[in-house]
């Protein structure tokens, strides 16, 4: 094995490596106990501190924290606990007659020592969510949360230290250098949530050890509104989905593609719902969040400047305040295709609107871009919905709503190509952290022995018969 003794995290890694077979053999009830301890910490002991930390880091309103952070983790734990007995069972499968005398099954066994790297936009949910799957599957894990949300990361470190033993679950705080050092170690699985750019760095590092990866990435998620859609209901759901967490969500509707004939009506409805959700002045609304860091505020501001320079139309918003990292909910149309807003993932409260004359045009535009994490469709036409789904690819889709596919633990969550590799949530998360081990048990006699050397003409005939009949 390579010498890692200069790596600052090798000692911690080795502690977990030395313990991972013990953890792997833990019974289902022990894993459930660990999940319960985490649930209690999040739901009871640290609930108020979580709300406070997110208020400081992202100006996140209490209701959003309850629903998009605490509830998501607690429900993931409940779901895993309800299903764990079934997931960990031995799965018997039939055995072909050519292997007569043998029986077969497969098991989900823990991968071993795992690394979880998480982003800042839903710090608790996107750190503890994958951790639930890692624990359910019987792994040890080292976690590296984002440095962009320091209050949340410090609190998560406290929670992990309080709830777990270091030789099972540990959390390391730090910046990019910390990630880079961790990525040099020969983990058995890496679960990364973040940008496609960093996803590529993670995958390269994983390739060094042929470590398996789950990459939960981002990108631009399109929203199509056709002329049959209930426009007011569409606006209600899109404005909610786009401006929650100030647009800093990987599955936010990134941009709108709308049938030209219904654009004006849609804009009027968007204005109505924005006003309803965040009042006339969103800056004073307790329901509206802030941009995470000055760097991200400047990035978004530069997108607005670029749109202005290219003579786009600001339909709503456009006001900013650098001191409080506030960006007003903004809707922009008449954008040039080369605008940064149409080239880069926005990850902020700015919603570009593009119009189309026929659905083929909208589909062609989507397919000229990277494959998205989410694709939303607002339509009453079964034919249009079918046409869109059959002619595009996306990690997930909601029809006549946004985001809610994320909340159903029975569904796989994840992207495709540029928006991710592998799936998470519920059974799919458990599977990501498990090796599916195939086992064949040979009983006293097996027909395969009839074909062992030396090869005679009779065995040649038998081999031919096997190919033909079994
Ligand atoms: P990011 O990729 O910049 O950072 C994510 C993590 O990687 C952080 O912990 C960070 O410290 C670490 N990191 C950053 N640069 C690194 C490097 N060079 N080497 C190693 N590690 C490095 O992402 P972010 O800004 O925290 O989050 C925003 C991105 O994440 C968006 O693209 C968004 O769409 C995506 N995202 C995806 C999901 C999902 O579930 N698919 C969820 C949330 C966010």
């Amino acid at each position: 094995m390579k010498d890692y003794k200069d790596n600052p995290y090798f000692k911690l890694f080795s502690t977990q490596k030395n313990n991972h077979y013990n953890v792997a053999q833990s019974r289902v009830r022990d894993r459930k106990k660990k999940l319960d301890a985490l649930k209690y910490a999040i739901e009871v002991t640290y609930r108020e501190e979580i709300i406070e930390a997110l208020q400081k880091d992202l100006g996140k309103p209490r209701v959003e924290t309850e629903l998009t952070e605490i509830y998501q983790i607690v429900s993931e734990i409940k779901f895993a606990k309800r299903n764990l007995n079934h997931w960990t069972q031995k799965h018997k499968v039939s055995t072909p007659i050519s292997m007569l005398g043998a029986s077969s099954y497969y098991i989900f066994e823990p991968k071993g020592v795992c690394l979880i790297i998480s982003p800042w936009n839903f710090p608790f949910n996107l750190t503890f969510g994958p951790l639930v799957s890692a624990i359910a599957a019987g792994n040890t894990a080292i976690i590296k949360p984002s440095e962009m949300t320091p209050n949340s990361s410090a609190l998560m470190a406290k929670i992990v230290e309080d709830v777990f033993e270091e030789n099972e679950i540990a959390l390391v705080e730090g910046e990019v250098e910390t990630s880079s050092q961790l990525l040099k170690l020969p983990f058995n699985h890496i679960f990364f949530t973040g940008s496609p750019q960093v996803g590529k760095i993670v995958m390269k590092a994983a390739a060094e050890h042929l470590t398996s990866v789950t990459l939960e990435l981002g990108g631009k998620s399109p929203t199509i509104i056709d002329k049959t859609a209930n426009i007011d209901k569409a606006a209600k759901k899109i404005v909610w989905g786009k401006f929650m967490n100030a647009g800093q969500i990987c599955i936010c509707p990134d941009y709108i593609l709308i049938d030209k004939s219904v654009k004006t009506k849609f804009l009027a409805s968007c204005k109505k719902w924005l006003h309803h959700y965040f009042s006339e002045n969103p800056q004073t609304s307790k329901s509206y969040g802030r941009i995470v860091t000055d760097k991200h505020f400047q990035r978004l501001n530069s997108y607005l400047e670029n749109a202005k320079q290219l003579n786009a139309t600001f339909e709503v918003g456009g006001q900013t305040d650098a001191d409080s990292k506030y960006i007003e909910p903004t809707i922009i149309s008449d954008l040039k295709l080369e605008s940064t807003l149409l080239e880069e993932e926005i990850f902020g409260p700015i919603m570009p609107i593009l119009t189309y004359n026929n659905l083929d045009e909208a589909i062609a535009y989507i397919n000229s871009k990277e494959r998205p994490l989410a694709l939303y469709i607002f339509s009453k036409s079964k034919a249009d919905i079918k046409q869109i789904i059959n002619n595009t690819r996306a990690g997930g889709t909601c029809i006549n709503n946004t985001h809610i596919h994320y909340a159903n633990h029975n569904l796989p969550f994840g992207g495709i190509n540029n928006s991710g590799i592998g799936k998470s949530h519920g059974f799919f998360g458990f599977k990501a952290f498990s090796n599916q081990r195939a086992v064949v048990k040979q009983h006293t006699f097996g027909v395969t022995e009839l074909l062992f050397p030396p090869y005679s003409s009779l065995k040649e005939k038998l081999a031919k018969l096997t190919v033909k009949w079994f």
Side-chain angles (χ1 to χ4, degrees):
M1 208 195 210
K2 228 169 128 180
D3 186 2
Y4 297 100
K5 67 178 187 312
D6 292 335
N7 189 303
Y9 305 107
F10 181 58
K11 194 163 164 253
L12 174 62
F13 176 83
S14 303
T15 311
Q16 294 205 353
K17 186 104 192 146
N18 293 334
N19 189 38
H20 83 281
Y21 278 110
N22 293 331
V23 175
Q25 284 164 58
S26 59
R27 282 176 297 191
V28 166
R29 75 162 179 261
D30 297 323
R31 296 184 197 176
K32 286 185 182 174
K33 260 191 207 156
K34 276 185 225 167
L35 293 175
D36 271 336
L38 179 62
K39 180 169 168 283
Y40 191 79
I42 290 182
E43 209 180 358
V44 184
T45 322
Y46 294 100
R47 189 182 198 133
E48 286 306 313
E49 282 182 64
I50 292 173
I51 289 165
E52 207 178 299
L54 285 166
Q55 179 60 42
K56 284 186 189 150
D57 285 333
L58 284 155
K60 205 174 267 205
R62 175 180 278 266
V63 175
E64 276 184 28
T65 296
E66 291 279 3
L67 292 177
T68 62
E69 302 264 9
I70 296 173
Y71 167 73
Q72 293 300 330
I73 305 163
V74 169
S75 65
E76 184 80 53
I77 291 176
K78 284 185 187 161
F79 190 85
K81 279 184 62 197
R82 261 202 314 277
N83 292 288
L84 202 49
N85 286 334
H86 172 62
W87 294 344
T88 49
Q89 263 166 22
K90 190 193 267 191
H91 298 263
K92 286 190 183 157
V93 295
S94 60
T95 306
I97 200 151
S98 56
M99 292 166 65
L100 194 72
S103 59
S104 317
Y105 62 90
Y106 65 92
I107 48 170
F108 287 96
E109 61 181 16
K111 282 191 174 167
V113 187
C114 301
L115 173 63
I116 297 172
I117 301 178
S118 55
W120 50 264
N121 60 330
F122 290 91
F124 291 88
N125 177 7
L126 297 175
T127 304
F128 289 138
L131 181 65
V132 170
S133 300
I135 294 172
N139 296 279
T140 72
I142 297 177
I143 302 164
K144 208 305 273 175
S146 175
E147 65 280 20
M148 304 277 177
T149 38
N151 295 291
S152 302
S153 292
L155 180 56
M156 285 192 279
K158 195 166 138 190
I159 295 174
V160 166
E161 206 185 321
D162 183 13
V163 175
F164 301 108
E165 297 293 329
E166 194 185 65
N167 61 4
E168 287 181 22
I169 311 292
L171 186 146
V172 179
E173 283 185 84
E175 305 203 0
V176 174
E177 179 54 20
T178 305
S179 268
S180 307
Q181 289 295 345
L182 284 165
L183 284 168
K184 287 183 187 156
L185 296 168
F187 283 95
N188 300 112
H189 187 71
I190 300 173
F191 190 107
F192 170 80
T193 309
S195 59
Q197 297 86 310
V198 180
K200 289 175 193 172
I201 296 172
V202 170
M203 200 161 168
K204 268 191 199 144
E208 183 64 30
H209 305 290
L210 294 174
T211 295
S212 55
V213 290
T214 306
L215 303 178
E216 293 286 354
L217 311 177
K220 295 181 79 64
S221 295
T223 298
I224 301 186
I225 307 168
D226 78 3
K227 56 178 178 289
T228 71
N230 181 322
I231 298 298
D232 191 51
K233 279 195 179 157
K236 182 180 185 182
K237 286 158 187 171
I238 291 167
V239 169
W240 164 71
K242 176 71 191 186
F243 298 105
M244 188 192 344
N245 208 29
Q248 300 163 111
I249 310 182
C250 58
I251 48 171
C252 253
D254 184 275
Y255 64 96
I256 306 291
L257 275 161
I258 189 164
D259 189 290
K260 210 174 188 169
S261 62
V262 288
K263 178 188 160 190
T264 311
K265 197 172 167 195
F266 176 67
L267 278 171
S269 283
C270 285
K271 285 177 195 164
K272 180 184 93 180
W273 289 111
L274 272 173
H275 188 259
H276 180 74
Y277 294 156
F278 307 120
S279 80
E280 209 155 311
N281 181 6
Q283 197 165 6
T284 57
S285 163
K286 286 198 165 61
S287 303
Y288 189 65
R290 294 295 182 269
I291 303 307
V292 66
T293 57
D294 290 330
K295 196 174 142 215
H296 279 281
F297 174 85
Q298 293 308 339
R299 175 182 64 82
L300 289 162
N301 220 10
S302 75
Y303 294 179
L304 292 175
E305 286 307 317
N306 173 269
K308 273 181 206 156
Q309 274 161 19
L310 294 173
N311 295 322
T313 309
F314 280 62
E315 306 280 1
V316 182
Q319 298 302 312
T320 62
D321 173 41
D323 288 344
S324 59
K325 296 188 288 271
Y326 165 76
I327 294 185
E328 188 180 4
T330 300
I331 302 179
I332 302 181
S333 65
D334 305 321
L335 277 154
K336 301 266 183 324
L337 290 183
E338 68 271 23
S339 310
T340 345
L341 279 169
L342 295 180
E343 289 292 328
E344 303 289 332
E345 177 181 7
I346 300 172
F347 222 61
I350 310 168
M351 185 162 83
I353 299 194
L354 298 176
T355 54
Y356 66 82
N357 294 305
N358 64 64
L359 206 48
D360 287 336
E361 235 176 68
I363 290 171
Y365 181 78
I366 290 171
N367 288 338
S368 71
K369 305 275 167 196
E370 297 283 6
R371 291 177 164 180
L373 182 58
L375 187 159
Y376 301 114
I377 305 169
F378 286 84
S379 171
K380 282 190 210 140
S381 158
K382 278 188 188 161
D384 283 2
I385 295 169
K386 192 171 166 200
Q387 189 186 345
I388 297 165
I389 290 188
N390 285 354
N391 291 290
T392 57
R393 292 291 176 272
T397 280
C398 287
I399 300 162
N400 295 324
N401 211 335
T402 61
H403 292 299
I404 57 168
H405 63 303
Y406 182 88
N408 183 350
H409 299 296
N410 292 298
L411 287 172
F413 180 80
I416 170 169
N417 301 125
N418 196 65
S419 55
I421 292 177
K423 301 289 169 185
S424 58
H425 291 185
F427 172 66
F428 303 95
F430 171 85
K431 202 170 155 207
F433 283 98
S434 303
N435 172 46
Q436 288 155 72
R437 186 174 188 160
V439 183
V440 174
K441 186 171 181 192
Q442 186 67 63
H443 303 291
T444 43
F445 170 75
V447 285
T448 41
E449 287 168 37
L450 296 176
L451 292 167
F452 288 178
Y455 301 127
S456 59
S457 56
L458 173 68
K459 287 181 184 175
E460 252 176 54
K461 278 183 197 146
L462 273 175
K464 273 190 187 163
L465 280 174
T466 304
V467 173
K468 187 161 184 193
W469 295 108
F470 305 112

